[in-house]
Amino acid sequence: GMLLDNSCARIVQCEFVNNRAAWAGAGVSIRGEGGAPWFINCTFRDNGSETTSAAFDVGVTPFGGGAAAVWSGAPTFVNCLFYNNKAWEGGVVLPVFGTPTFINCTIVNNQATIGYGGAFFDPDGRVTFRNCILRGNTTTKGVGLYDQGYSGSLGTTTINYSDVQGGWTGTANIDADPLFQNPAGHDYKLQSTSPCKNTGENAALPPDVGNLDWDLDTDEIIPLDLARSGRNVGTSVDMGAYEVYEIPPPPPPQEPE
């Protein structure tokens, strides 16, 4: 889908859909030690989705990172949604020597079709997740233990303030049904009773480098979520790509004077 080489590009409100790669990174392949691209309010779906060995032979099934392969560099993904991405290992991301960071991302129903790590394959512990939701991802090896992701003996993936199915050691992580509005219809907004509501870390919110509200202030904290609703509208930011949006009740009727 996209190759970034030593790039600090800002990719804002884009969709990466139905891309294929012969080796790794069907959605986006990132390389170059000086590269630090941003992906803001983006959706990655159905990338690297062929699964048979015959399909691999003709160059449509990535070995790793169905959505992203990070050969080097330090990309950041903010308010991004990942679903139905597949690869042999690491259905969403494969870090080789790079250090990707995911902030307020929703990562669901991705698959490792042959090996480990339904969402991430991270043997060196190079990936960081903050305020994210990782649910419903599946793996072929290590079922149950490595459904969401795989960390090897050389490092442990850093996950904090996130909802991880099966649990993950880290600060303020939870393991609970996030109560998506309509997951069967790929609507991954949160219901008002979601346990992910007001449970994220405000300090993890990055600056508005994508200028989502068009006010030219890129130093302010990111103001909008993936649906372009307010990003932090409660006591704390919500986990995942979407903030719970509730219409306030009307004011009570006024007593006649």
Side-chain angles (χ1 to χ4, degrees), residues 57-208:
D57 292 338
V58 297
V60 292
T61 303
F63 165 73
V70 186
W71 305 101
S72 54
T76 302
F77 299 82
V78 184
N79 290 349
C80 291
L81 172 64
F82 300 83
Y83 68 93
N84 289 355
N85 301 285
K86 297 180 181 180
W88 284 21
E89 293 188 302
V92 168
V93 61
L94 168 69
V96 184
F97 296 107
T99 54
T101 298
F102 295 78
I103 303 172
N104 280 100
C105 292
T106 297
I107 303 167
V108 293
N109 299 333
N110 304 284
Q111 184 181 6
T113 60
I114 290 181
Y116 297 98
F120 59 89
F121 183 76
D122 185 22
D124 298 330
R126 296 178 177 275
V127 186
T128 297
F129 296 92
R130 304 174 74 180
N131 297 350
C132 291
I133 298 173
L134 296 94
R135 309 287 300 184
N137 303 291
T138 57
T139 190
T140 304
K141 293 183 178 180
V143 174
L145 181 62
Y146 301 123
D147 281 340
Q148 309 314 309
Y150 173 84
S151 287
S153 59
L154 297 180
T156 301
T157 305
T158 299
I159 305 180
N160 293 318
Y161 289 87
S162 295
D163 183 3
V164 186
Q165 186 173 356
W168 196 273
T169 300
T171 303
N173 291 330
I174 63 174
D175 177 9
D177 184 345
L179 298 179
F180 296 127
Q181 290 193 8
N182 182 16
H186 306 304
D187 183 353
Y188 298 108
K189 300 182 188 71
L190 302 175
Q191 299 180 34
S192 61
T193 55
S194 171
C196 298
K197 179 180 177 181
N198 295 331
T199 49
E201 180 191 18
N202 290 343
L205 291 172
D208 186 21

Side-chain angles (χ1 to χ4, degrees), residues 178-252:
L179 298 179
F180 296 127
Q181 290 193 8
N182 182 16
H186 306 304
D187 183 353
Y188 298 108
K189 300 182 188 71
L190 302 175
Q191 299 180 34
S192 61
T193 55
S194 171
C196 298
K197 179 180 177 181
N198 295 331
T199 49
E201 180 191 18
N202 290 343
L205 291 172
D208 186 21
V209 298
N211 192 30
L212 291 180
D213 55 1
W214 305 333
D215 65 355
L216 302 182
D217 183 0
T218 56
D219 293 325
E220 65 179 343
I221 297 301
I222 190 167
L224 303 176
D225 67 1
L226 182 55
R228 297 190 60 80
S229 298
R231 178 65 271 189
N232 185 4
V233 296
T235 55
S236 296
V237 65
D238 299 344
M239 296 176 179
Y242 300 100
E243 198 82 1
V244 173
Y245 180 73
E246 296 179 280
I247 301 175

